[in-house]
Amino acid sequence: MIFSAGKPKKEKLKVNVKIRHRFPDCLATLEIEGENGSIAFKTPQRAVTQGQSAVFYKGTKVLGGGEILNSP
C-alpha cells in the first residue's frame, strides 16, 4: 500500500475507494495493518478481484492505493 503524503496517523480511516476506473467511488473504512490494510465497504461490492487496484480518496484528494491481495 502506498500513500501519497506519508502514512496516515490514524489506523482506521473513513474513505472513498475506487476499484474500477469507470465505476463510482464507494464509502469504506480503511484499516491500516503495518504495510498492508483492509477495506470494509459500506455497501457490498461485486466482483472484487485479486490483482485489481484500489485507490483511496478523502473528498477529491488521493490518499493512496494498493493492489487487492484477496477478497472474502
Side-chain angles (χ1 to χ4, degrees):
M1 188 166 23
I2 298 171
F3 292 94
S4 60
K7 188 174 178 183
K9 294 178 183 175
K10 296 181 181 180
E11 292 185 358
K12 282 189 178 184
L13 300 168
K14 299 288 184 188
V15 295
N16 292 359
V17 180
K18 283 189 86 162
I19 57 172
R20 290 182 186 81
H21 173 67
R22 295 180 189 245
F23 278 49
D25 55 332
C26 305
L27 293 173
T29 300
L30 170 63
E31 186 169 354
I32 301 166
E33 303 162 351
E35 294 297 315
N36 293 317
S38 62
I39 301 168
F41 289 102
K42 186 174 180 180
T43 57
Q45 301 299 302
R46 66 177 181 87
V48 178
T49 307
Q50 182 177 344
Q52 284 179 299
S53 294
V55 180
F56 320 121
Y57 297 86
K58 194 68 167 181
T60 59
K61 182 179 179 181
V62 175
L63 299 177
E67 181 182 342
I68 297 171
L69 301 177
N70 58 47
S71 62

